[in-house]
Amino acid sequence: MQVDLRILRYDPERDAGPHWVSYSVEAEPTDRVLDLLHRVKYEVDGALTFRRSCGHGVCGSDAMLINGRNRLACRIRVEQLGRRRISVAPLPGLPVIKDLVVDMDGFFAKYRSVQPFLITDGPPPSRERRQSPEERARYDDTTKCILCAACTSSCPSFWAQPDYVGPAAIVQAHRFIFDSRDEGADERLEILADQDGVWRCRTIFNCTDACPRGIEITRAILEVSAAIVERHG
Amino acid sequence: MDQDFDALIVGAGGAGLWAALELAQAGVPTAVLTKLYPTRSHTGAAQGGVCAALGNYEEDHWEWHMFDTVKGGDYLTDQDAAEVLAREAIETVIELEHMGLPFNRTPEGKIDQRRFGGHTRNFGEGPVRRACFAADRTGHMILQTLYQQCIKAGVQFFDEYQVVDLLFDGGEVGAGGRAAGVVAYRIADGELHAFRAKVVLLATGGFGRMFRITSNAWSLTGDGVALAYRHGVPLQDMEFFQFHPTGIVGLGILLSEAARGEGGYLRNDSGERFMARYAPNLMELGPRDLVSRAIYQEVRAGRGIGGKDYVYLDITHLGRKMIEEKLPDIADFVRTYQGIEPITEPVPIQPTAHYAMGGIPTDLNARVIRDADRTIVAGLYAAGECACVSVHGANRLGTNSLVDLLVFGRRAGRQMARDVRGLELPDLDRDAIEPVRAELRAISERPSGESPARIRADLADVMMDNVGVYRTEELLAAALPRVRALQERYGRIHIDDKGTVFNTDLLEAREVGYLLDCAETTVVSALARKESRGAHAREDYPERDDVNYLSHTLAYQAEGGPRLAYKPVTITRFQPKPRTY
């Protein structure tokens, strides 16, 4: 079938600003949006620019705004979109470099700011640390994060306050705060209790809806908030 | 713009990150260059597990792991390397746990372990629980954990800097030159940067994109492998490329061997567990080369599903709880990409190009070697899939790719940290970046010509159809002129994007050239090996021939095509025996 693929194009070396370009693309219902983007790039205009790597939803490169929702282009099939007109734009709220490529440096800086690594005191044992299956299950959900930025760039609080650390960084902090082996919760909760931390969340649930890994992000944010309240009693 | 570091690491997958961590902890000024963001690296796509003889459920020994690795590699594995791999697997997995990796746990709180193809107890008696795992996203957790530790250690990253050339001091590799740095293309603005260093590690991964059906990321284009080859490093054992048995039909997306490790079946059109004919002892847990061939045989005999070119992976009997807890991601892939519910329906699968056993030859400490005498290339190192130690021989066992990049990434970092001491920075010509600048400019400025994407697609077809699971003289001899014709067309490529900002058109064109080098050396090496061993299955020479071919292939770049040489296999504990499962 023919699909009307509309892409928000922008080349900083040639264009005054972003503009929509329409492509009529032959597609199978089972094609992913990434397949359509490749068809345009390889058969129509090699200058069309987007990131992608693994092509099956685990590397987090190709998050973009597809028919008004943040998704991974390699995970969404044409038939799931339910219509023959498909619009593709860069992730909202992040500076656009070219076409569908956004500047991710600020996003990763926020990720690094929450101390996203295991913090422990003292030397480790000679074998593995023990952790019960229940303790392991406590933070399982937030270990799935692939740092694609679909959540943070879908968040109205982040659009309004670009200094907000954002859902993805809180998810990463959650993964350690609720890990029974970690001893850095105090430092992380201190960072997230900042005015640009968890309190910016207005429980709009856009992040949870956007997550391609199905992480219950809003819930994770609320659990971190509750831990801050508990600690400061 | 030029920058100096003591150590450079090209690639931010598991091998590169662990090496970076070792160097940072030793206080060596180090830069990691990656054409992606580190967390996008393909280590993150590994699913099923990482083997280490921890014995958390049942008796296990590193000697058994070593034996399985040697036998799995059809005795082409260098046994000193397999010993290092199996021994150090244990301490690296424990170290990963200490770094915070969220392994699944046994009821006692130890690292959980499951079965995997070709991994056995007591030298082949039956399957053993050796694969340590974090659900079916073990690679994701390894990549995340190592990146986290690199952040903690303050490693300096150059994200989205694509390395496009290697620099040498004192001549090319063949003339005894020493690695002196790299040229990197900053993707954001198209500027070329010379990075000078005392030691350089290539950790650029594989080149599965030379095949049509592959589990590999779009970024796996053999960059480091081809660049080393162009500067005079031979490529070892390129004829051995692994096809994983269970890829999603048509797409090649991997469905982990863990599905069979947890008890999944393979069935043909009549519902029969056909592996009984091919590996009566291990059944579905036979090694990958054998299982992929079995699927081809079933399809040829008309026993594919509906007579077509695929069979079923059946996990319906495992039950919802097991699938949701231990195989959640692959269940999700099946739902997302096939619209099938794996809890209740069998899943259509076919073999998918997965892993390069061959690559840049190294010694046990990741130092690149350039001939059969194991002469070291000063300053140059390689680890992970781009390297060939060789621990995988003619066929890699499941999970051993992760073991390889952990063990030898760590060894690379430690060796580099030792080697930089007392070294001065090498000399670099002021115009060192000019050759690659001219090559890139020639592509950009050509007003019209061949499409690199078309060439890549044609290459993927010929490699899939002629250089796949089964090979013959006829197929390989027909492939060679076709690859050469593609190389000739590549000399006339043209791109649309003439800009400097995020020019993926130009970079992908460059990558097609790397794939062509990898393909040519693969075909030439495969033509010359007139036997069947591991993943190299010649229908015209169906038997293994230890008299003539128990040796590693080395392919050197030369006028008129690759020149081949051979290097002996290191055999220590296990004499070659017939390989049955």
Side-chain angles (χ1 to χ4, degrees):
Chain A
M1 64 179 183
Q2 289 296 122
V3 167
D4 176 21
L5 181 68
R6 300 173 71 244
I7 304 175
L8 193 61
R9 303 282 312 258
Y10 171 61
D11 180 345
E13 294 176 285
R14 290 163 51 174
D15 302 330
H19 55 101
W20 291 98
V21 179
S22 228
Y23 301 90
S24 183
V25 183
E26 182 61 34
E28 296 293 326
T30 52
D31 279 342
R32 288 89 46 87
V33 171
L34 180 62
D35 298 322
L36 307 192
L37 294 174
H38 276 140
R39 223 156 278 159
V40 172
K41 184 174 180 68
Y42 297 143
E43 294 166 18
V44 183
D45 181 6
L48 176 65
T49 303
F50 48 91
R51 291 189 181 101
R52 51 67 177 129
S53 188
C54 77
H56 64 283
V58 299
C59 82
S61 296
D62 64 349
M64 48 190 81
L65 188 70
I66 297 169
N67 281 4
R69 272 186 61 184
N70 285 355
R71 320 175 198 242
L72 300 180
C74 61
R75 268 188 69 94
I76 186 80
R77 299 192 306 273
V78 170
E79 61 195 358
Q80 290 173 297
L81 293 169
R83 54 190 168 118
R84 294 192 175 193
R85 188 168 177 179
I86 297 171
S87 71
V88 183
L91 289 176
L94 296 170
V96 177
I97 294 174
K98 181 178 173 183
D99 289 344
L100 302 170
V101 174
V102 294
D103 185 344
M104 298 284 285
D105 285 349
F107 173 82
F108 278 102
K110 285 174 180 166
Y111 160 71
R112 289 191 295 269
S113 77
V114 300
Q115 307 208 347
F117 39 79
L118 192 76
I119 297 172
T120 55
D121 297 329
S126 61
R127 290 285 290 200
E128 67 263 55
R129 289 189 193 82
R130 298 296 179 101
Q131 182 169 57
S132 72
E134 295 71 32
E135 288 169 331
R136 167 65 179 76
R138 179 66 189 85
Y139 64 101
D140 182 68
D141 200 33
T142 44
T143 65
K144 298 177 198 160
C145 175
I146 55 174
L147 294 162
C148 68
C151 59
T152 296
S153 65
S154 74
C155 173
S157 304
F158 168 71
W159 300 337
Q161 290 288 342
D163 289 335
Y164 171 35
V165 69
I170 301 172
V171 161
Q172 290 289 336
H174 179 283
R175 174 253 172 277
F176 290 102
I177 292 167
F178 294 94
D179 184 335
S180 58
R181 300 169 296 174
D182 186 78
E183 294 165 274
D186 282 340
E187 296 162 56
R188 288 194 197 88
L189 291 173
E190 188 81 19
I191 292 164
L192 292 171
D194 182 85
Q195 61 162 350
D196 290 317
V198 291
W199 311 122
R200 294 264 183 229
C201 174
R202 293 286 176 271
T203 58
I204 299 163
F205 283 88
N206 274 16
C207 54
T208 303
D209 289 341
C211 181
R213 303 284 291 148
I215 301 170
E216 293 186 68
I217 301 177
T218 311
R219 177 182 173 148
I221 296 173
L222 293 175
E223 287 177 353
V224 172
S225 307
I228 291 173
V229 171
E230 200 177 302
R231 196 140 313 209
H232 293 266
Chain B
M1 193 170 58
D2 296 349
Q3 304 202 50
D4 292 344
F5 289 90
D6 280 10
L8 290 179
I9 291 170
V10 185
L17 292 179
W18 201 320
L21 195 54
E22 292 291 336
L23 285 157
Q25 286 166 350
V28 178
T30 302
V32 180
L33 295 93
T34 166
K35 63 180 180 178
L36 308 168
Y37 279 92
T39 59
R40 315 298 187 217
S41 307
H42 206 55
T43 295
Q47 298 169 0
V50 50
C51 273
L54 301 183
N56 281 353
Y57 271 104
E58 54 187 324
E59 185 182 354
D60 198 5
H61 302 281
W62 67 261
E63 292 91 341
W64 297 355
H65 186 185
M66 176 190 168
F67 170 77
D68 292 337
T69 300
V70 170
K71 182 181 174 187
D74 218 347
Y75 294 91
L76 193 69
T77 304
D78 282 323
Q79 297 188 13
D80 52 349
E83 178 165 339
V84 165
L85 178 99
R87 277 176 182 270
E88 295 182 14
I90 296 167
E91 58 194 72
T92 50
V93 164
I94 295 295
E95 203 172 328
L96 277 177
E97 195 285 329
H98 293 165
M99 291 180 193
L101 196 136
F103 284 108
N104 279 42
R105 299 289 172 157
T106 68
E108 303 83 51
K110 297 181 189 171
I111 294 170
D112 203 354
Q113 296 188 280
R114 64 179 160 211
R115 295 171 171 182
F116 237 81
H119 288 277
T120 69
R121 66 182 140 77
N122 203 19
F123 309 105
E125 274 184 12
V128 71
R129 293 176 75 158
R130 184 179 293 150
C132 311
F133 63 98
D136 52 357
R137 49 178 182 280
T138 311
H140 166 77
M141 296 317 323
I142 288 175
L143 185 66
Q144 295 265 327
T145 301
L146 289 171
Y147 184 51
Q148 291 156 5
Q149 291 297 310
C150 284
I151 292 171
K152 188 177 181 186
V155 173
Q156 190 169 354
F157 285 93
F158 290 83
D159 299 333
E160 296 190 329
Y161 277 67
Q162 184 152 342
V163 168
V164 289
D165 205 2
L166 308 180
L167 300 173
F168 290 87
D169 180 27
E172 292 289 337
V173 166
R178 159 191 173 193
V182 304
V183 181
Y185 177 102
R186 188 179 184 222
I187 300 176
D189 61 12
E191 257 197 62
L192 287 174
H193 297 250
F195 285 81
R196 189 164 63 145
K198 300 171 183 174
V199 289
V200 177
L201 172 67
L202 300 174
T204 57
F207 39 88
R209 278 285 149 184
M210 70 182 182
F211 292 98
R212 183 175 64 237
I213 302 291
T214 177
S215 63
N216 281 202
W218 285 88
S219 52
L220 290 174
T221 50
D223 304 22
V225 171
L227 289 174
Y229 174 67
R230 290 175 188 184
H231 284 282
V233 175
L235 300 184
Q236 182 172 322
D237 294 341
M238 292 294 280
E239 63 271 42
F240 299 101
F241 202 98
Q242 176 167 86
F243 282 73
H244 192 294
T246 58
I248 288 181
V249 170
L251 295 174
I253 296 169
L254 187 68
L255 298 178
S256 172
E257 194 168 309
R260 284 170 286 138
E262 295 290 1
Y265 299 148
L266 294 174
R267 297 186 189 278
N268 62 18
D269 196 45
S270 59
E272 177 199 16
R273 285 179 67 191
F274 57 84
M275 283 310 298
R277 268 196 294 283
Y278 306 92
N281 188 22
L282 292 187
M283 294 292 286
E284 281 86 354
L285 289 176
R288 290 174 180 171
D289 57 333
L290 196 158
V291 179
S292 284
R293 284 194 293 275
I295 293 170
Y296 266 65
Q297 293 289 353
E298 291 298 300
V299 166
R300 276 188 190 173
R303 294 191 291 267
I305 305 304
K308 297 206 184 107
D309 61 346
Y310 58 86
V311 297
Y312 280 142
L313 170 65
D314 181 2
I315 57 172
T316 55
H317 56 289
L318 300 183
R320 179 179 300 273
K321 184 169 185 294
M322 153 89 87
I323 291 170
E324 296 294 357
E325 278 179 13
K326 295 193 171 170
L327 305 166
D329 277 13
I330 66 165
D332 175 68
F333 297 148
V334 170
R335 292 174 192 130
T336 300
Y337 296 111
Q338 295 178 288
I340 286 172
E341 177 45 66
I343 294 171
T344 53
E345 298 169 83
V347 181
I349 54 94
Q350 64 184 180
T352 179
H354 185 57
Y355 187 87
M357 271 70 75
I360 302 164
T362 72
D363 71 1
L364 297 180
N365 288 312
R367 294 180 290 198
V368 172
I369 56 178
R370 64 178 166 94
D371 53 31
D373 297 330
R374 302 178 167 268
T375 307
I376 285 167
V377 180
L380 193 62
Y381 305 75
E385 189 174 345
C386 73
C388 182
V389 183
S390 146
V391 281
H392 308 305
N395 171 64
R396 174 175 72 73
L397 288 191
T399 85
N400 270 359
S401 56
L402 292 177
V403 185
D404 177 1
L405 62 83
L406 298 172
V407 166
F408 292 98
R410 189 171 78 146
R411 281 184 160 244
R414 290 180 177 182
Q415 183 67 38
M416 291 165 78
R418 283 194 291 272
D419 289 350
V420 290
R421 284 194 217 116
L423 275 185
E424 295 296 318
L425 275 168
D427 288 326
L428 264 194
D429 286 345
R430 285 172 59 85
D431 55 356
I433 63 174
E434 293 311 318
V436 70
R437 189 195 297 283
E439 288 175 29
L440 294 173
R441 188 175 286 153
I443 296 173
S444 285
E445 291 181 351
R446 194 170 293 118
S448 65
E450 294 277 346
S451 149
R454 191 68 251 158
I455 293 172
R456 184 178 55 206
D458 290 349
L459 176 69
D461 281 342
V462 65
M463 292 301 287
M464 197 76 200
D465 297 337
N466 289 35
V467 198
V469 169
Y470 277 111
R471 299 159 175 185
T472 65
E473 185 85 18
E474 195 182 357
L475 285 171
L476 295 169
L480 192 56
R482 288 176 64 186
V483 172
R484 297 245 160 95
L486 292 169
Q487 287 173 323
E488 198 260 326
R489 278 167 61 190
Y490 184 76
R492 300 192 302 272
I493 52 168
H494 145 267
I495 57 172
D496 294 334
D497 195 338
K498 309 295 187 188
T500 60
V501 177
F502 225 95
N503 191 336
T504 55
D505 207 14
L506 176 63
L507 292 170
E508 285 188 37
R510 177 92 183 153
E511 291 169 347
V512 174
Y514 302 148
L515 289 176
L516 286 165
D517 285 350
C518 293
E520 188 190 19
T521 49
T522 300
V523 175
V524 169
S525 302
L527 259 172
R529 186 174 284 275
K530 297 181 194 307
E531 65 159 351
S532 288
R533 183 186 297 273
H536 177 65
R538 290 276 304 249
E539 291 191 276
D540 40 358
Y541 300 96
E543 300 299 323
R544 195 175 78 197
D545 177 357
D546 288 338
V547 175
N548 293 302
Y549 292 102
L550 185 57
S551 55
H552 298 291
T553 308
L554 296 176
Y556 290 86
Q557 193 179 43
E559 279 299 316
R563 171 176 64 81
L564 300 184
Y566 292 89
K567 185 171 75 125
V569 176
T570 305
I571 293 171
T572 57
R573 291 172 185 245
F574 305 112
Q575 287 305 312
K577 282 196 289 198
R579 182 170 172 252
T580 55
Y581 286 93

